[in-house]
Amino acid sequence: MKFFIDTASLEQIREAHSLGVLDGVTTNPSLMAKEGISGTDRIYKHYVDICGSVDGDVSAEVIATDLKGIISEGEHLASLHPNIVVKVPMIRDGVKAIKHFTDKGIRTNCTLVFSAGQALLAAKAGATYVSPFIGRLDDVSTDGLALIEQIRLIYDNYGLETQVLAASIRHPMHIVQCAELGADVATCPLNAILALFEHPLTAIGLEKFLADHRKASAAAAK
Ligand code: G3P
C-alpha cells in the first residue's frame, strides 16, 4: 500500500519524505487555507514547491464546480508539473471533467466520495484514484472501512483500474485496516504515520539492550 501525506505543509511533507516511506501528497482547499496559501499564483507556486519536495504524485484540487471551469483549471494544474494529479469533486460536472481528462491523458483523483455508487461512477469515467473519506463517515456513525471493502470488491469484480485512495484517515489503526482491506493508497496526517512507529515493547526492549551493552562494556573496562 502506498503512503501519501494529507497536508499542504512543506515542513510536514519534508519530514514524512525524510522517513523514506512517502509515496505522494494529497491536498485540498481547506489544507491550503490552513497553511495561509491563497491567490491563484501563490497556490500554483505552492503546488510546484510541493512537487519539488516529494518524489510521487501530488493531488491538486480544482476550485471550479462547472464543467468549463473544472476543465480549464485542471488543465492548468496538470501543466504545472508531471506529478500533478487533478483532484475533482464527485459531482456531475466533476465526473464529466474526469472523462475529459482521462481522454486527454491527464490523471485525476475523484474526491468527496462517500458511497460505492459514487466510486463506481468515478472508475467508469477513468479516474486514476478515488478518495473515499473514511473518517468523515465514522464521524456520522457510518462504517468508513466498510466502504473501502465494498469499493475493493466492486473494482476487483470488474478489473477496474482506478486506485482506491483511503482518505480522511484519523489514526494509525485506520492505516493498518485499510492495508488489510486492500486499499491501494492511504493518505494520512503526519501524526498517524508517526504513530505507526510506536510500541511500548520496542521502547522497553531497546532500553534493555542498551543497558545490557553498557553493563557489559563497564565490566570489560574493569
Ligand atoms: O484530503 C481529503 C481528506 O483526507 C480530508 O480529511 O480529516 O478533513 O476529513 P478530513
Side-chain angles (χ1 to χ4, degrees), residues 6 28 87 133 136 167-168 170:
D6 196 26
N28 62 42
K87 203 171 178 189
F133 278 28
R136 292 193 195 182
S168 186
R170 298 284 160 75

Side-chain angles (χ1 to χ4, degrees), residues 13-217:
I13 291 166
R14 287 179 188 135
E15 187 177 344
H17 179 60
S18 75
L19 298 171
V21 297
L22 190 65
D23 301 298
V25 177
T26 53
T27 62
N28 62 42
S30 301
L31 293 170
M32 294 293 270
K34 193 173 162 197
E35 296 307 311
I37 312 292
S38 62
T40 314
D41 290 347
R42 272 196 77 204
I43 289 173
Y44 289 162
K45 183 184 173 308
H46 197 70
Y47 283 134
V48 173
D49 290 344
I50 292 175
C51 289
S53 304
V54 64
D55 186 18
D57 288 349
V58 173
S59 286
E61 188 160 340
V62 297
I63 304 298
T65 54
D66 64 294
L67 182 59
K68 208 166 147 228
I70 295 172
I71 287 175
S72 104
E73 211 182 321
E75 288 182 352
H76 188 78
L77 287 167
S79 74
L80 294 175
H81 193 281
N83 288 354
I84 292 277
V85 174
V86 180
K87 203 171 178 189
V88 180
M90 170 38 74
I91 53 176
R92 287 189 195 188
D93 276 0
V95 172
K96 289 182 197 171
I98 288 171
K99 175 74 175 101
H100 166 89
F101 291 136
T102 304
D103 292 343
K104 286 196 79 176
I106 293 174
R107 294 175 312 132
T108 54
N109 174 355
C110 184
T111 189
L112 289 167
V113 166
F114 293 95
S115 75
Q118 291 177 326
L120 190 52
L121 289 170
K124 285 190 67 74
T128 313
Y129 297 103
V130 65
S131 288
F133 278 28
I134 62 176
R136 292 193 195 182
L137 281 169
D138 289 354
D139 289 345
V140 295
S141 306
T142 306
D143 188 350
L145 287 163
L147 178 59
I148 300 293
E149 192 172 15
Q150 207 180 1
I151 297 172
R152 180 74 284 154
L153 175 69
I154 291 169
Y155 284 8
D156 288 350
N157 279 347
Y158 297 101
L160 295 168
E161 284 175 8
T162 299
Q163 295 183 53
V164 180
L165 192 169
S168 186
I169 280 179
R170 298 284 160 75
H171 52 74
M173 284 315 291
H174 265 160
I175 303 177
V176 173
Q177 288 158 331
C178 284
E180 285 175 347
L181 294 172
D184 298 287
V185 189
T187 189
C188 324
L190 180 61
N191 60 5
I193 299 174
L194 293 177
L196 290 174
F197 282 89
E198 303 304 328
H199 196 287
L201 291 177
T202 304
I204 292 166
L206 182 60
E207 201 179 312
K208 175 89 170 65
F209 284 159
L210 295 178
D212 288 346
H213 171 76
R214 275 194 303 270
K215 229 185 290 172
S217 306

